[in-house]
PDB file of all heavy atoms in Angstrom:
ATOM      1  N   ILE A  73      -5.588   4.586  15.884  1.00  0.00           N
ATOM      2  CA  ILE A  73      -5.301   5.319  14.639  1.00  0.00           C
ATOM      3  C   ILE A  73      -6.421   5.128  13.630  1.00  0.00           C
ATOM      4  O   ILE A  73      -6.763   6.048  12.880  1.00  0.00           O
ATOM      5  CB  ILE A  73      -3.937   4.910  14.042  1.00  0.00           C
ATOM      6  CG1 ILE A  73      -3.486   5.906  12.967  1.00  0.00           C
ATOM      7  CG2 ILE A  73      -3.976   3.513  13.443  1.00  0.00           C
ATOM      8  CD1 ILE A  73      -3.102   7.254  13.472  1.00  0.00           C
ATOM      9  N   TRP A  74      -7.044   3.946  13.602  1.00  0.00           N
ATOM     10  CA  TRP A  74      -8.149   3.721  12.659  1.00  0.00           C
ATOM     11  C   TRP A  74      -9.350   4.590  13.017  1.00  0.00           C
ATOM     12  O   TRP A  74      -9.986   5.173  12.131  1.00  0.00           O
ATOM     13  CB  TRP A  74      -8.534   2.243  12.625  1.00  0.00           C
ATOM     14  CG  TRP A  74      -7.407   1.356  12.198  1.00  0.00           C
ATOM     15  CD1 TRP A  74      -6.423   1.660  11.297  1.00  0.00           C
ATOM     16  CD2 TRP A  74      -7.114   0.039  12.675  1.00  0.00           C
ATOM     17  NE1 TRP A  74      -5.535   0.617  11.182  1.00  0.00           N
ATOM     18  CE2 TRP A  74      -5.932  -0.392  12.001  1.00  0.00           C
ATOM     19  CE3 TRP A  74      -7.723  -0.824  13.586  1.00  0.00           C
ATOM     20  CZ2 TRP A  74      -5.375  -1.648  12.228  1.00  0.00           C
ATOM     21  CZ3 TRP A  74      -7.163  -2.063  13.816  1.00  0.00           C
ATOM     22  CH2 TRP A  74      -6.006  -2.477  13.133  1.00  0.00           C
ATOM     23  N   VAL A  75      -9.650   4.690  14.289  1.00  0.00           N
ATOM     24  CA  VAL A  75     -10.763   5.548  14.718  1.00  0.00           C
ATOM     25  C   VAL A  75     -10.501   6.996  14.308  1.00  0.00           C
ATOM     26  O   VAL A  75     -11.373   7.669  13.748  1.00  0.00           O
ATOM     27  CB  VAL A  75     -10.974   5.442  16.245  1.00  0.00           C
ATOM     28  CG1 VAL A  75     -11.921   6.536  16.726  1.00  0.00           C
ATOM     29  CG2 VAL A  75     -11.532   4.068  16.608  1.00  0.00           C
ATOM     30  N   LYS A  76      -9.291   7.472  14.568  1.00  0.00           N
ATOM     31  CA  LYS A  76      -8.962   8.861  14.261  1.00  0.00           C
ATOM     32  C   LYS A  76      -8.994   9.138  12.766  1.00  0.00           C
ATOM     33  O   LYS A  76      -9.346  10.243  12.332  1.00  0.00           O
ATOM     34  CB  LYS A  76      -7.589   9.204  14.829  1.00  0.00           C
ATOM     35  CG  LYS A  76      -7.559   9.278  16.354  1.00  0.00           C
ATOM     36  CD  LYS A  76      -6.168   9.595  16.865  1.00  0.00           C
ATOM     37  CE  LYS A  76      -6.156   9.690  18.385  1.00  0.00           C
ATOM     38  NZ  LYS A  76      -4.776   9.927  18.913  1.00  0.00           N
ATOM     39  N   ALA A  77      -8.620   8.138  11.953  1.00  0.00           N
ATOM     40  CA  ALA A  77      -8.580   8.332  10.498  1.00  0.00           C
ATOM     41  C   ALA A  77      -9.935   8.113   9.840  1.00  0.00           C
ATOM     42  O   ALA A  77     -10.115   8.479   8.681  1.00  0.00           O
ATOM     43  CB  ALA A  77      -7.547   7.390   9.881  1.00  0.00           C
ATOM     44  N   GLY A  78     -10.866   7.489  10.561  1.00  0.00           N
ATOM     45  CA  GLY A  78     -12.170   7.194   9.973  1.00  0.00           C
ATOM     46  C   GLY A  78     -12.245   5.856   9.284  1.00  0.00           C
ATOM     47  O   GLY A  78     -13.125   5.624   8.447  1.00  0.00           O
ATOM     48  N   VAL A  79     -11.330   4.933   9.614  1.00  0.00           N
ATOM     49  CA  VAL A  79     -11.335   3.594   9.041  1.00  0.00           C
ATOM     50  C   VAL A  79     -12.251   2.688   9.857  1.00  0.00           C
ATOM     51  O   VAL A  79     -12.161   2.649  11.086  1.00  0.00           O
ATOM     52  CB  VAL A  79      -9.914   2.985   9.031  1.00  0.00           C
ATOM     53  CG1 VAL A  79      -9.936   1.542   8.533  1.00  0.00           C
ATOM     54  CG2 VAL A  79      -8.974   3.829   8.180  1.00  0.00           C
ATOM     55  N   GLN A  80     -13.133   1.955   9.186  1.00  0.00           N
ATOM     56  CA  GLN A  80     -13.979   0.974   9.865  1.00  0.00           C
ATOM     57  C   GLN A  80     -13.116  -0.241  10.232  1.00  0.00           C
ATOM     58  O   GLN A  80     -12.501  -0.860   9.360  1.00  0.00           O
ATOM     59  CB  GLN A  80     -15.119   0.530   8.953  1.00  0.00           C
ATOM     60  CG  GLN A  80     -16.060   1.650   8.535  1.00  0.00           C
ATOM     61  CD  GLN A  80     -17.134   1.161   7.578  1.00  0.00           C
ATOM     62  OE1 GLN A  80     -17.598   0.027   7.677  1.00  0.00           O
ATOM     63  NE2 GLN A  80     -17.519   2.006   6.637  1.00  0.00           N
ATOM     64  N   SER A  81     -13.081  -0.589  11.505  1.00  0.00           N
ATOM     65  CA  SER A  81     -12.217  -1.693  11.952  1.00  0.00           C
ATOM     66  C   SER A  81     -12.977  -2.770  12.717  1.00  0.00           C
ATOM     67  O   SER A  81     -12.366  -3.604  13.376  1.00  0.00           O
ATOM     68  CB  SER A  81     -11.091  -1.144  12.830  1.00  0.00           C
ATOM     69  OG  SER A  81     -11.623  -0.514  13.990  1.00  0.00           O
ATOM     70  N   SER A  82     -14.297  -2.764  12.601  1.00  0.00           N
ATOM     71  CA  SER A  82     -15.094  -3.719  13.372  1.00  0.00           C
ATOM     72  C   SER A  82     -14.849  -5.165  12.945  1.00  0.00           C
ATOM     73  O   SER A  82     -15.105  -6.099  13.710  1.00  0.00           O
ATOM     74  CB  SER A  82     -16.583  -3.395  13.238  1.00  0.00           C
ATOM     75  OG  SER A  82     -16.992  -3.451  11.881  1.00  0.00           O
ATOM     76  N   LEU A  83     -14.330  -5.372  11.722  1.00  0.00           N
ATOM     77  CA  LEU A  83     -14.093  -6.728  11.232  1.00  0.00           C
ATOM     78  C   LEU A  83     -12.693  -7.239  11.541  1.00  0.00           C
ATOM     79  O   LEU A  83     -12.386  -8.395  11.275  1.00  0.00           O
ATOM     80  CB  LEU A  83     -14.340  -6.783   9.720  1.00  0.00           C
ATOM     81  CG  LEU A  83     -15.770  -6.454   9.267  1.00  0.00           C
ATOM     82  CD1 LEU A  83     -15.868  -6.478   7.747  1.00  0.00           C
ATOM     83  CD2 LEU A  83     -16.764  -7.436   9.880  1.00  0.00           C
ATOM     84  N   VAL A  84     -11.834  -6.391  12.091  1.00  0.00           N
ATOM     85  CA  VAL A  84     -10.481  -6.828  12.457  1.00  0.00           C
ATOM     86  C   VAL A  84     -10.576  -7.854  13.581  1.00  0.00           C
ATOM     87  O   VAL A  84     -11.257  -7.646  14.583  1.00  0.00           O
ATOM     88  CB  VAL A  84      -9.615  -5.629  12.894  1.00  0.00           C
ATOM     89  CG1 VAL A  84      -8.277  -6.108  13.452  1.00  0.00           C
ATOM     90  CG2 VAL A  84      -9.393  -4.686  11.724  1.00  0.00           C
ATOM     91  N   ILE A  85      -9.893  -8.981  13.409  1.00  0.00           N
ATOM     92  CA  ILE A  85      -9.925 -10.073  14.384  1.00  0.00           C
ATOM     93  C   ILE A  85      -8.859  -9.850  15.458  1.00  0.00           C
ATOM     94  O   ILE A  85      -7.695  -9.590  15.138  1.00  0.00           O
ATOM     95  CB  ILE A  85      -9.677 -11.426  13.685  1.00  0.00           C
ATOM     96  CG1 ILE A  85     -10.783 -11.717  12.665  1.00  0.00           C
ATOM     97  CG2 ILE A  85      -9.577 -12.556  14.717  1.00  0.00           C
ATOM     98  CD1 ILE A  85     -10.463 -12.886  11.749  1.00  0.00           C
ATOM     99  N   GLU A  86      -9.258  -9.928  16.722  1.00  0.00           N
ATOM    100  CA  GLU A  86      -8.296  -9.837  17.821  1.00  0.00           C
ATOM    101  C   GLU A  86      -7.869 -11.246  18.199  1.00  0.00           C
ATOM    102  O   GLU A  86      -8.682 -12.079  18.588  1.00  0.00           O
ATOM    103  CB  GLU A  86      -8.912  -9.112  19.009  1.00  0.00           C
ATOM    104  CG  GLU A  86      -7.898  -8.764  20.081  1.00  0.00           C
ATOM    105  CD  GLU A  86      -8.465  -7.797  21.111  1.00  0.00           C
ATOM    106  OE1 GLU A  86      -8.585  -6.596  20.795  1.00  0.00           O
ATOM    107  OE2 GLU A  86      -8.803  -8.274  22.213  1.00  0.00           O
ATOM    108  N   ASP A  87      -6.576 -11.513  18.093  1.00  0.00           N
ATOM    109  CA  ASP A  87      -6.008 -12.846  18.247  1.00  0.00           C
ATOM    110  C   ASP A  87      -5.184 -12.902  19.535  1.00  0.00           C
ATOM    111  O   ASP A  87      -4.087 -12.349  19.611  1.00  0.00           O
ATOM    112  CB  ASP A  87      -5.125 -13.134  17.022  1.00  0.00           C
ATOM    113  CG  ASP A  87      -4.515 -14.522  17.031  1.00  0.00           C
ATOM    114  OD1 ASP A  87      -4.603 -15.223  18.065  1.00  0.00           O
ATOM    115  OD2 ASP A  87      -3.925 -14.906  16.006  1.00  0.00           O
ATOM    116  N   ALA A  88      -5.708 -13.594  20.541  1.00  0.00           N
ATOM    117  CA  ALA A  88      -5.022 -13.659  21.833  1.00  0.00           C
ATOM    118  C   ALA A  88      -3.798 -14.563  21.805  1.00  0.00           C
ATOM    119  O   ALA A  88      -2.953 -14.503  22.701  1.00  0.00           O
ATOM    120  CB  ALA A  88      -5.996 -14.146  22.905  1.00  0.00           C
ATOM    121  N   ALA A  89      -3.673 -15.384  20.757  1.00  0.00           N
ATOM    122  CA  ALA A  89      -2.575 -16.347  20.702  1.00  0.00           C
ATOM    123  C   ALA A  89      -1.308 -15.785  20.057  1.00  0.00           C
ATOM    124  O   ALA A  89      -0.246 -16.411  20.147  1.00  0.00           O
ATOM    125  CB  ALA A  89      -3.026 -17.591  19.935  1.00  0.00           C
ATOM    126  N   HIS A  90      -1.400 -14.628  19.405  1.00  0.00           N
ATOM    127  CA  HIS A  90      -0.248 -14.070  18.707  1.00  0.00           C
ATOM    128  C   HIS A  90      -0.127 -12.572  18.997  1.00  0.00           C
ATOM    129  O   HIS A  90      -1.140 -11.884  19.108  1.00  0.00           O
ATOM    130  CB  HIS A  90      -0.363 -14.278  17.188  1.00  0.00           C
ATOM    131  CG  HIS A  90      -0.396 -15.707  16.772  1.00  0.00           C
ATOM    132  ND1 HIS A  90      -1.566 -16.425  16.670  1.00  0.00           N
ATOM    133  CD2 HIS A  90       0.613 -16.558  16.442  1.00  0.00           C
ATOM    134  CE1 HIS A  90      -1.288 -17.661  16.283  1.00  0.00           C
ATOM    135  NE2 HIS A  90       0.024 -17.770  16.139  1.00  0.00           N
ATOM    136  N   PRO A  91       1.077 -12.059  19.086  1.00  0.00           N
ATOM    137  CA  PRO A  91       1.250 -10.613  19.312  1.00  0.00           C
ATOM    138  C   PRO A  91       0.976  -9.819  18.040  1.00  0.00           C
ATOM    139  O   PRO A  91       1.052 -10.345  16.927  1.00  0.00           O
ATOM    140  CB  PRO A  91       2.720 -10.495  19.709  1.00  0.00           C
ATOM    141  CG  PRO A  91       3.381 -11.630  18.970  1.00  0.00           C
ATOM    142  CD  PRO A  91       2.377 -12.762  19.012  1.00  0.00           C
ATOM    143  N   THR A  92       0.656  -8.573  18.216  1.00  0.00           N
ATOM    144  CA  THR A  92       0.548  -7.669  17.075  1.00  0.00           C
ATOM    145  C   THR A  92       1.922  -7.532  16.418  1.00  0.00           C
ATOM    146  O   THR A  92       2.950  -7.535  17.099  1.00  0.00           O
ATOM    147  CB  THR A  92       0.059  -6.290  17.548  1.00  0.00           C
ATOM    148  OG1 THR A  92      -1.209  -6.454  18.194  1.00  0.00           O
ATOM    149  CG2 THR A  92      -0.085  -5.321  16.385  1.00  0.00           C
ATOM    150  N   GLY A  93       1.938  -7.422  15.099  1.00  0.00           N
ATOM    151  CA  GLY A  93       3.194  -7.335  14.371  1.00  0.00           C
ATOM    152  C   GLY A  93       3.957  -6.051  14.652  1.00  0.00           C
ATOM    153  O   GLY A  93       3.437  -5.087  15.216  1.00  0.00           O
ATOM    154  N   SER A  94       5.235  -6.043  14.231  1.00  0.00           N
ATOM    155  CA  SER A  94       6.064  -4.859  14.418  1.00  0.00           C
ATOM    156  C   SER A  94       7.033  -4.725  13.244  1.00  0.00           C
ATOM    157  O   SER A  94       7.293  -5.688  12.519  1.00  0.00           O
ATOM    158  CB  SER A  94       6.845  -4.937  15.739  1.00  0.00           C
ATOM    159  OG  SER A  94       7.680  -6.073  15.752  1.00  0.00           O
ATOM    160  N   ALA A  95       7.544  -3.499  13.065  1.00  0.00           N
ATOM    161  CA  ALA A  95       8.496  -3.234  11.987  1.00  0.00           C
ATOM    162  C   ALA A  95       9.597  -2.319  12.496  1.00  0.00           C
ATOM    163  O   ALA A  95       9.341  -1.356  13.234  1.00  0.00           O
ATOM    164  CB  ALA A  95       7.797  -2.585  10.800  1.00  0.00           C
ATOM    165  N   GLY A  96      10.822  -2.620  12.112  1.00  0.00           N
ATOM    166  CA  GLY A  96      11.955  -1.759  12.407  1.00  0.00           C
ATOM    167  C   GLY A  96      12.317  -0.982  11.149  1.00  0.00           C
ATOM    168  O   GLY A  96      12.577  -1.566  10.091  1.00  0.00           O
ATOM    169  N   ILE A  97      12.318   0.355  11.237  1.00  0.00           N
ATOM    170  CA  ILE A  97      12.559   1.222  10.082  1.00  0.00           C
ATOM    171  C   ILE A  97      13.771   2.098  10.358  1.00  0.00           C
ATOM    172  O   ILE A  97      13.838   2.769  11.394  1.00  0.00           O
ATOM    173  CB  ILE A  97      11.333   2.117   9.797  1.00  0.00           C
ATOM    174  CG1 ILE A  97      10.085   1.260   9.593  1.00  0.00           C
ATOM    175  CG2 ILE A  97      11.572   3.011   8.591  1.00  0.00           C
ATOM    176  CD1 ILE A  97       8.805   2.060   9.534  1.00  0.00           C
ATOM    177  N   PHE A  98      14.702   2.102   9.422  1.00  0.00           N
ATOM    178  CA  PHE A  98      15.891   2.945   9.530  1.00  0.00           C
ATOM    179  C   PHE A  98      15.825   3.999   8.424  1.00  0.00           C
ATOM    180  O   PHE A  98      15.730   3.654   7.247  1.00  0.00           O
ATOM    181  CB  PHE A  98      17.156   2.101   9.407  1.00  0.00           C
ATOM    182  CG  PHE A  98      17.273   1.067  10.496  1.00  0.00           C
ATOM    183  CD1 PHE A  98      16.718  -0.196  10.333  1.00  0.00           C
ATOM    184  CD2 PHE A  98      17.908   1.367  11.689  1.00  0.00           C
ATOM    185  CE1 PHE A  98      16.792  -1.143  11.340  1.00  0.00           C
ATOM    186  CE2 PHE A  98      17.987   0.427  12.705  1.00  0.00           C
ATOM    187  CZ  PHE A  98      17.438  -0.836  12.540  1.00  0.00           C
TER     188      PHE A  98
END
Side-chain angles (χ1 to χ4, degrees):
I73 194 70
W74 300 326
V75 168
K76 290 179 179 177
V79 176
Q80 298 177 34
S81 61
S82 60
L83 298 177
V84 172
I85 298 169
E86 190 168 284
D87 182 350
H90 298 89
T92 301
S94 60
I97 304 171
F98 299 89

